[in-house]
């Protein structure tokens, strides 16, 4: 049986970090601009998507390396 790397626990927090970052960006964009167009929402949600993909990629890499 393989043990998980102690640093793996940090990768589980990446989607939460991305969600918080995206939320802060949305709030800042709303305060600065007043309104946010659809493209603005997509740009603000990019950190969430990026961090989710990074966490998924790490999980896949960890699964591959265990075999």
């Amino acid at each position: 049986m393989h043990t998980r790397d102690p640093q793996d626990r940090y990768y589980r927090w990446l989607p939460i970090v991305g969600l918080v970052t995206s939320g802060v960006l949305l709030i800042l964009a709303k305060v600065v601009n007043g309104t946010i167009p659809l493209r603005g929402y997509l740009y603000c949600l990019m950190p969430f998507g990026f961090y989710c993909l990074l966490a998924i990629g790490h999980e896949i890499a960890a699964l591959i390396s265990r075999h």
Side-chain angles (χ1 to χ4, degrees):
M1 182 171 159
H2 296 281
T3 59
R4 291 186 68 104
D5 185 11
Q7 291 184 341
D8 283 350
R9 63 180 173 200
Y10 299 117
Y11 285 94
R12 293 175 187 249
W13 286 95
L14 284 178
I16 296 168
V17 170
L19 190 62
V20 170
T21 304
S22 293
V24 169
L25 287 174
L26 284 168
I27 291 169
L28 287 173
K30 184 76 171 168
V31 167
V32 171
N33 296 328
T35 60
I36 305 172
L38 179 60
R39 186 183 295 170
Y41 281 108
L42 293 176
Y43 285 144
C44 289
L45 291 174
M46 282 175 65
F48 177 64
F50 174 75
Y51 284 125
C52 284
L53 288 175
L54 192 61
I56 291 168
H58 176 74
E59 284 295 320
I60 291 170
L63 286 173
I64 292 171
S65 68
R66 282 190 211 132
H67 287 3

